Amino acid sequence: MLTKENIHQDYTTYSTGYQLSLTMDIQVYIPPHDPVRLLNQLLEGLDDKKLLSTYSDKGRNSVVPPVIMFKILIYAYMNRSFSSREIQRLCQRDIHFIWLLNGYPAPSHHTINRFRKHHLSDGVMEDLFDQFIERLHTLDEIHFKNLFIDGTKIEANANRYSFIWLKSVTKNEAKLQVKIEKLLQQVNDMYLVNYSFDGESPLSVMESCLRMLQQKVNEQSLEFVYGKGKRKTILQRQVESMEAYLEKQHLYLAYKETIGLHRSSCSKTDTDATFMRMKDDHMKNGQLKPGYNVQIGVEAEYIVHVGIFSSANDVTTLIPFLTAMESRLSKTYERVIADAGYESEENYAYLKENHQKGFIKPLNYETSKTRKYKAQLGKRENMAYDELTDTYTCANGRTLKPIEVKIRESQTGYRKEVTIYECETCQDCPLRLKCTKAKEGNSKRLEVSKKMLSLRTESLKNIQSEEGILLRKNRSIQVEGAFGVLKQDYGFRKFLTRGKVHVTVELLLLCFGYNVQKLHNKIQSHRCGQQLHPGKVA
């Protein structure tokens, strides 16, 4: 007769003569130059009061102390592990994570997610990141001198087909309001009331009309009917139509409020995300995907500040980026280096008022060197300017005089002064077709912002100097190189969390790990204190 063998959950019961042995300290297995030792040393010196304040004094203490949890997350991001389940597995098997746990049990993926979502938001992660940047300053790695800025698009954790377009919402809302006006007119004629639709505040009159219709239903003791073979009364149809229109109007107003003034779309699954064109277009059809415009500032190869923006354009992000950084760091950068995507009069003026030297490449810097550009007769740059008379002279020798000064306002509210120049006459000009697209009978016009020209000339002089050439080369190496490491080497091409707050935490964790790894690499290669890469531009 066969005896049944029981299978136990504790596999040590199958070992004959099993005896628990006391192992040595596992840190002897970690090399002395391993970056996990540097990470542990650097994070021990940070002030964690803000992090600890997110925990309650009541109830059980956390299984793993918050400081150790933070070390685990940073080390995970240093090693290209972003998933909470993957981090849990590493805490159970990887000797480096076990050493960081310092005898505490491995946290579950739920614990890791809760810590990342609830205990690093509300400025906690920003505070820890800024402390580390100040620590790099005390180590003489960061001098707050040269700030290299660039941006990239990173896909959001949202459905690619859950788009809401502002144009579509506005178009459908206009159609809805025509139906509402028609219904209100019908109600006015039937019940001798006077409801007038107001496009600026449509909800109040609709709700008032609906209450009146519902009161009529109660007075008549009307029972609504549904289903096949049932005929609805006019009053029932009016109530149901008004309820449906009111629900849609609420929805359209909510969509417009979510999208805001400075973007054209949003996603239903992540309302902070905007549909943008990404560089990694795997379908090769220019498909728009929900994403964020990620801005970073780099000095000495370290990421010193990050910004998450919902607008796809870089030009409107520079001032909010610099303002947020100045409010958090102890010093203001002396020089700001950026590419042509950041050029605007508003940005130039902000840098000048803030006493920062700007190295921003003009939008037409590369094309202005070509023969094709120099051959375009209608370009302002190819016309002679007389500063005394404030006039331009075209290729045919005719004069363009100032006729009007206008104020142009940007989407951010910045007002700039534009001078309009008009040619004395374009009649019988043999170069007319090459010079202007104005209709027959009209003369050529130019719109010129004199302040913009002055600031652009100053920035152009900066980037063409010997110092500017070196800084432009380092911008390509340092800030674009940082994005290359994050997106290609680390494989970070899509956020795991949703919402601007949680996405910012996720990006700061990634950049924190990147900075620790960068310091480790510079220490091991004896490059500490190196701010710029020397050399000539090819």
Side-chain angles (χ1 to χ4, degrees), residues 177-191:
Q177 290 179 355
V178 172
K179 295 180 181 179
I180 295 171
E181 289 176 350
K182 186 177 179 181
L183 179 58
L184 288 176
Q185 186 61 44
Q186 182 187 11
V187 171
N188 291 339
D189 295 341
M190 284 188 64
Y191 305 107

Side-chain angles (χ1 to χ4, degrees), residues 26-227:
I26 61 173
Q27 69 170 323
V28 298
Y29 300 110
I30 299 176
H33 57 273
D34 196 285
V36 71
R37 294 184 179 273
L38 176 64
L39 170 70
N40 187 63
Q41 178 184 351
L42 291 171
L43 297 193
E44 285 293 336
L46 298 183
D47 184 4
D48 54 2
K49 291 180 181 178
K50 201 164 185 177
L51 174 61
L52 296 176
S53 67
T54 61
Y55 288 84
S56 174
D57 297 334
K58 301 176 182 178
R60 289 187 308 176
N61 294 329
S62 56
V63 177
V64 181
V67 177
I68 295 180
M69 283 292 297
F70 184 67
K71 292 179 183 178
I72 289 171
L73 270 179
I74 298 298
Y75 192 63
Y77 275 79
M78 283 175 62
N79 288 275
R80 307 161 180 81
S81 297
F82 316 123
S83 166
S84 58
R85 294 181 185 272
E86 176 66 14
I87 298 172
Q88 176 187 348
R89 189 188 66 81
L90 291 172
C91 288
Q92 294 168 344
R93 298 187 176 187
D94 192 288
I95 193 171
H96 302 83
F97 285 88
I98 296 172
W99 178 70
L100 283 176
L101 282 168
N102 197 24
Y104 289 97
S108 66
H109 66 276
H110 293 296
T111 304
I112 296 169
N113 264 334
R114 280 195 300 269
F115 179 79
R116 181 166 52 187
K117 184 176 181 179
H118 299 295
H119 297 289
L120 293 180
S121 55
D122 297 328
V124 175
M125 187 63 221
E126 288 88 340
D127 177 64
L128 293 170
F129 184 83
D130 294 339
Q131 286 187 52
F132 183 66
I133 298 304
E134 297 291 348
R135 180 73 183 275
L136 290 174
H137 176 57
T138 59
L139 294 172
D140 202 36
E141 287 294 300
I142 289 177
H143 297 164
F144 296 110
K145 190 173 183 180
N146 301 312
L147 180 67
F148 304 100
I149 299 177
D150 200 8
T152 190
K153 311 294 191 301
I154 297 182
E155 189 175 351
N157 182 14
N159 191 316
R160 294 179 181 176
Y161 305 100
S162 62
F163 37 74
I164 303 171
W165 296 100
L166 182 59
K167 283 186 178 180
S168 178
V169 170
T170 306
K171 180 180 178 181
N172 291 332
E173 186 183 26
K175 291 180 180 179
L176 175 67
Q177 290 179 355
V178 172
K179 295 180 181 179
I180 295 171
E181 289 176 350
K182 186 177 179 181
L183 179 58
L184 288 176
Q185 186 61 44
Q186 182 187 11
V187 171
N188 291 339
D189 295 341
M190 284 188 64
Y191 305 107
L192 302 178
V193 290
N194 187 21
Y195 289 110
S196 59
F197 184 77
D198 184 5
E200 295 183 357
S201 56
L203 297 179
S204 58
V205 65
M206 293 175 67
E207 291 170 349
S208 176
C209 181
L210 181 59
R211 285 194 298 268
M212 186 273 294
L213 292 174
Q214 289 172 341
Q215 185 178 356
K216 293 286 185 183
V217 171
N218 295 332
E219 290 174 357
Q220 299 177 18
S221 301
L222 180 65
E223 292 187 4
F224 286 3
V225 296
Y226 303 96

